Amino acid sequence: MARKKIIAGNWKMNMTPSEAVELVNTLKPLVVTEEADVVFCVPSIDIIPAMEAAKGTNIQIGAENMYYEEKGAFTGEISPNMLTDVGVKYVIIGHSERREYFAETDETVNKKVLKAFEHGITPIICCGESLTQREQGITIDWIRQQIKIAFLNVTAEQAATAVIAYEPIWAIGTGKTATTEQAQEVCKAIRECIAEIYDEATAEAIRIQYGGSVNAATAPELFGQPDIDGGLVGGASLKPDFGKIVNYK
């Protein structure tokens, strides 16, 4: 069975609640498709107004982060129950910016992944290498380590429903994009890693996105690759052009 593409926007720390509603209303008619799942991962304060604005459309609203405890003395964090209570189905976990600026580790990513599955939320699990790692030729080793730790104690049944987002850190917000060959090579290696951990069926089911300066011009070729099942889109998801990325064919 062919994997359905999943194209997600990562809004990062952009858009006030009123701006979020305006953006959803602008994008609504532009992202209509049955070919792909369309997800807007938005700042937590925007989730409820964005959900309201997206009601009755094909847009699903996701979160950009989540803590791995149900509740408690964790000032500033958001729990899985808070997300499920308003109908959130997707959450980005372990984005390189979370790792770089907020000290997230492979271990905390794993805890969050397990907690997301426990609550029926689909994790969009991020992995990616720095420019130094790419230049030192350790990209695949590095990514395999991130994937293996992220999926620790995750069942094959759960893993099959996960989304992995490969984002070379050197291509995020820089205007540099990995070549189509580089992107496909790493996404293929990720799928092979999942097959090693689980089996071929799980590897065939899992959806792997590419992220890192994806735009309307690069999307068709990237999404046409055998192991790339859509994109995690940053800056371009805040503009009408996102409609062209979603409807890339």
Side-chain angles (χ1 to χ4, degrees):
M1 192 180 81
R3 292 180 297 273
K4 190 176 188 183
K5 299 280 190 227
I6 174 164
I7 300 167
N10 174 14
W11 288 14
K12 308 192 179 185
M13 196 177 74
N14 294 295
M15 300 287 142
T16 64
S18 55
E19 288 168 342
V21 169
E22 201 178 321
L23 182 58
V24 171
N25 286 332
T26 300
L27 290 175
K28 264 195 295 207
L30 306 178
V31 298
V32 176
T33 181
E34 288 180 5
E35 302 280 303
D37 290 330
V38 179
V39 186
F40 293 179
C41 293
V42 307
S44 53
I45 198 167
D46 294 343
I47 290 172
I48 293 171
M51 282 242 173
E52 288 297 314
K55 236 178 210 159
T57 73
N58 62 312
I59 298 165
Q60 300 195 61
I61 302 298
E64 295 181 15
N65 186 31
M66 178 198 88
Y67 199 53
Y68 51 76
E69 296 288 356
E70 309 283 329
K71 59 180 180 214
F74 306 105
T75 302
E77 290 294 334
I78 190 164
S79 74
N81 320 50
M82 293 171 186
L83 297 179
T84 53
D85 192 68
V86 295
V88 167
K89 298 282 195 302
Y90 290 91
V91 61
I92 297 172
I93 293 178
H95 192 279
S96 60
E97 288 152 7
R98 296 291 320 166
R99 294 176 192 251
E100 184 182 351
Y101 306 133
F102 306 104
E104 291 209 5
T105 63
D106 289 338
E107 287 72 22
T108 57
V109 166
N110 176 239
K111 285 182 176 182
K112 290 181 178 189
V113 167
L114 292 170
K115 190 54 75 173
F117 279 127
E118 199 181 303
H119 287 266
I121 305 172
T122 300
I124 297 175
I125 304 160
C126 298
C127 60
E129 83 284 10
S130 67
L131 189 56
T132 306
Q133 288 157 345
R134 162 73 57 178
E135 286 171 349
Q136 292 301 313
I138 61 165
T139 295
I140 304 293
D141 295 337
W142 179 262
I143 303 285
R144 282 170 60 84
Q145 178 175 309
Q146 287 184 315
I147 295 300
K148 286 187 171 187
I149 298 173
F151 282 85
L152 196 63
N153 298 321
V154 172
T155 68
E157 192 181 20
Q158 290 170 330
T161 68
V163 177
I164 296 172
Y166 165 57
E167 294 196 305
I169 298 165
W170 47 273
I172 299 174
T174 59
K176 287 182 185 174
T177 312
T179 64
T180 307
E181 292 73 27
Q182 285 171 326
Q184 162 59 20
E185 178 194 23
V186 178
C187 290
K188 180 171 186 274
I190 291 169
R191 203 174 302 284
E192 286 167 354
C193 185
I194 293 294
E196 281 174 36
I197 301 169
Y198 301 103
D199 50 42
E200 286 296 334
T202 309
E204 278 304 308
I206 204 164
R207 296 190 287 179
I208 303 172
Q209 300 174 313
Y210 170 74
S213 303
V214 174
N215 58 45
T218 58
E221 197 179 328
L222 282 164
F223 299 169
Q225 298 306 302
D227 290 294
I228 300 178
D229 306 310
L232 183 59
V233 183
S237 70
L238 302 170
K239 302 175 188 143
D241 253 22
F242 189 57
K244 292 179 188 162
I245 295 173
V246 168
N247 292 288
Y248 61 93
K249 286 180 178 172

